[in-house]
């Protein structure tokens, strides 16, 4: 019996919550659990709360049941927090967690603060969806559950290419495939497809990007006025930082977008050596070794300068000694 089954034994009302600005892993894990509970524990009343879920995940069963207004009318027997490394990241969901009689956090962030009563945190797992799969009974994973978890896994692994992808990830993905999911459509539709304006803003961000630290770093920014001009939201900026990261010779990519005047959401990505979770944590954020984020205020110049100092210092520390020159896969 998994820790999830133990927690569900006496629960009647369960709340499932994720992090602010929910991504594919967060949305997939939350809906995966909802569908699993509805199929396996029909006596339990389960509800999902997420802030502004992206419509690109509308093909997932239960998407229309997501509640975006966080009601506090009753204390839930159990609050399951998915893909959130700390309580701040829960946003309004925090109120639900605080009122709940019991709580379970399932996550894969190295920066997780063990904030729930019980925490299942696996920093080596590709995604929260992968960790969650380990808590479910395999033969009870329906096609609908599989669609959700597969979506979560492809989003956090960049379709099985980031180093967080392990043989275990592939084994689980294979098992999910065997339920008959249309994986090609899921990958194209939710990961690669872009709307016309999303392509335009991506193009503009690439055009205006700047390299520094001898080409090892690249940065770009989208200001509020640009977002207004193209009528895009932050969700339309997905994938920009990844395209920046792919630039030949770049070890670290920084992408900023303005949330309010002089306040920026920062996305950091690294390729082979830099630990960006350390840098994001320093500025009050968190994440993973190769993908992390935080929020910073000041002018664009200040923000990039502050980040650059940390990047440069780490790169110096990582420099190979004398004759141990590292060979890059890009050479
Ligand atoms: P992204 O750059 O795509 O927003 O986030 C990359 C990774 O960093 C994700 O795993 C995300 O959960 C984490 N992350 C991004 N922003 C923050 C933040 O402000 N605080 C924390 N704790 N984690 C963040
Ligand atoms: Mn995740």
């Amino acid at each position: 019996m998994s820790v999830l089954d133990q927690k569900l034994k006496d629960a009647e009302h369960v709340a499932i919550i994720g992090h602010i600005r929910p991504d594919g892993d967060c949305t997939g894990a939350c809906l995966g659990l909802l569908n699993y509970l509805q199929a396996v524990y029909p006596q339990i009343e389960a509800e999902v709360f997420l802030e502004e879920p992206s419509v690109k995940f509308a093909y997932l069963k239960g998407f229309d049941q997501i509640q975006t207004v966080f009601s506090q009318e009753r204390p839930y027997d159990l609050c399951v927090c998915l893909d959130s490394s700390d309580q701040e990241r829960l946003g309004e969901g925090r109120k639900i967690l605080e009122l709940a009689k019991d709580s379970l956090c399932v996550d894969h962030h190295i920066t997780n603060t063990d904030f729930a009563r019980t925490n299942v945190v696996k920093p080596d797992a590709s995604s929260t969806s992968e960790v969650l799969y380990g808590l479910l009974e395999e033969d009870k994973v329906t096609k609908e559950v599989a669609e959700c978890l597969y979506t979560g896994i492809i989003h956090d692994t960049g379709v099985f290419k980031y180093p967080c992808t392990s043989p275990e990830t592939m084994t689980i993905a294979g098992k999910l495939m065997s339920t008959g999911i249309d994986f090609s459509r899921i990958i194209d539709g939710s990961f690669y497809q872009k709307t016309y304006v999303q392509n335009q803003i991506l193009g503009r961000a690439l055009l205006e990007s700047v390299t520094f630290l001898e080409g090892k770093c690249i940065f770009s920014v989208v200001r509020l006025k640009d977002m207004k001009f193209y009528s895009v939201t932050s969700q339309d900026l997905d994938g920009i930082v990844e395209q920046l990261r792919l630039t030949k010779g770049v070890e670290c990519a920084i992408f900023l977008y303005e949330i309010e005047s002089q306040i920026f959401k920062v996305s950091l990505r690294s390729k082979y050596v830099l630990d960006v979770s350390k840098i994001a944590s320093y500025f009050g954020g968190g994440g993973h070794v190769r993908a992390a984020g935080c929020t910073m205020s000041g002018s664009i110049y200040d923000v990039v300068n502050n980040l650059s100092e940390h990047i440069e210092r780490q790169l110096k520390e990582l420099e190979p000694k004398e004759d141990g020159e590292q060979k890059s896969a890009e050479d």
Side-chain angles (χ1 to χ4, degrees):
M1 193 186 241
S2 79
V3 60
L4 177 69
D5 292 310
Q6 284 166 22
K7 294 260 174 197
L8 291 169
K9 230 173 21 180
D10 303 313
E12 284 176 31
H13 298 128
V14 174
I16 302 167
I17 61 176
H19 58 75
I20 51 172
R21 290 185 282 271
D23 57 8
D25 185 28
C26 178
T27 311
C30 287
L31 291 179
L33 181 57
L34 176 76
N35 287 315
Y36 185 82
L37 295 188
Q38 287 177 346
V40 181
Y41 289 91
Q43 74 283 10
I44 291 179
E45 198 184 318
E47 295 174 65
V48 175
F49 298 89
L50 283 176
E51 175 201 87
E52 292 177 43
S54 169
V55 289
K56 72 180 173 198
F57 303 119
Y59 63 90
L60 297 176
K61 186 173 172 230
F63 184 85
D64 54 353
Q65 292 169 46
I66 296 174
Q67 299 180 50
T68 52
V69 176
F70 291 65
S71 74
Q72 301 176 68
E73 275 163 30
R74 60 169 177 227
Y76 289 86
D77 299 316
L78 176 67
C79 174
V80 185
C81 309
L82 296 170
D83 203 36
S84 191
S85 55
D86 54 63
Q87 292 182 64
E88 275 70 50
R89 293 272 294 160
L90 294 172
E92 288 210 52
R94 201 175 163 167
K95 293 183 283 190
I96 293 176
L97 170 68
E98 281 164 5
L99 274 178
K101 295 178 195 156
D102 194 8
S103 59
L104 170 68
C105 166
V106 181
D107 188 29
H108 68 127
H109 290 95
I110 198 166
T111 51
N112 189 288
T113 57
D114 282 351
F115 59 87
R117 183 167 302 166
T118 307
N119 300 278
V120 180
V121 182
K122 300 203 167 162
D124 291 337
S126 68
S127 52
T128 295
S129 299
E130 181 179 323
V131 184
L132 179 63
Y133 182 85
L135 301 178
L136 309 181
E137 278 189 57
E138 272 179 27
D139 57 347
K140 293 183 180 156
V141 171
T142 61
K143 186 178 168 194
E144 287 75 23
V145 173
E147 279 167 347
C148 297
L149 300 184
Y150 191 86
T151 297
I153 291 174
I154 60 158
H155 276 262
D156 264 22
T157 58
V159 192
F160 309 111
K161 74 167 183 170
Y162 298 148
C164 63
T165 312
S166 70
E168 176 69 3
T169 315
M170 303 311 283
T171 302
I172 293 172
K175 286 177 182 165
L176 296 173
M177 276 170 84
S178 67
T179 64
I181 59 172
D182 190 343
F183 53 90
S184 292
R185 192 186 275 261
I186 292 175
I187 292 172
D188 260 352
S190 84
F191 193 86
Y192 288 111
Q193 179 175 270
K194 285 195 183 291
T195 63
Y196 181 62
V197 284
Q198 285 167 352
N199 270 333
Q200 281 191 309
I201 197 102
L202 165 69
R204 175 150 175 181
L206 297 179
L207 197 66
E208 293 183 348
S209 64
V210 176
T211 59
F212 57 103
L213 293 181
E214 296 159 337
K216 291 197 190 83
C217 271
I218 190 164
F219 112 87
S220 191
V221 57
V222 170
R223 293 171 192 80
L224 274 173
K225 65 174 167 57
D226 306 321
M227 292 171 73
K228 219 169 174 184
F229 179 82
Y230 290 100
S231 294
V232 293
T233 67
S234 60
Q235 286 172 356
D236 295 310
L237 309 177
D238 276 4
I240 293 179
V241 70
E242 170 58 10
Q243 196 56 45
L244 292 170
R245 187 192 75 98
L246 285 170
T247 312
K248 188 168 186 210
V250 158
E251 170 58 25
C252 181
I254 303 172
F255 176 65
L256 318 176
Y257 68 84
E258 206 172 10
I259 311 175
E260 282 172 46
S261 174
Q262 304 254 30
I263 301 184
F264 297 93
K265 181 75 188 74
V266 179
S267 283
L268 298 171
R269 297 291 186 273
S270 64
K271 219 179 254 165
Y272 304 121
V273 294
L274 210 69
D275 181 348
V276 287
S277 83
K278 268 195 196 155
I279 301 170
S281 298
Y282 180 85
F283 292 106
H288 311 282
V289 178
R290 303 276 177 259
C294 57
T295 301
M296 291 172 72
S297 52
S299 67
I300 293 170
Y301 180 85
D302 287 342
V303 169
V304 176
N305 245 352
N306 285 333
L307 290 166
S308 168
E309 255 177 46
H310 286 255
I311 294 165
E312 194 172 11
R313 197 175 316 143
Q314 247 201 62
L315 285 176
K316 278 230 170 76
E317 285 166 13
L318 290 163
E319 257 171 28
K321 310 271 177 284
E322 293 293 280
D323 51 8
E325 189 115 326
Q326 285 180 352
K327 260 218 136 324
S328 160
E330 288 177 24
D331 292 342

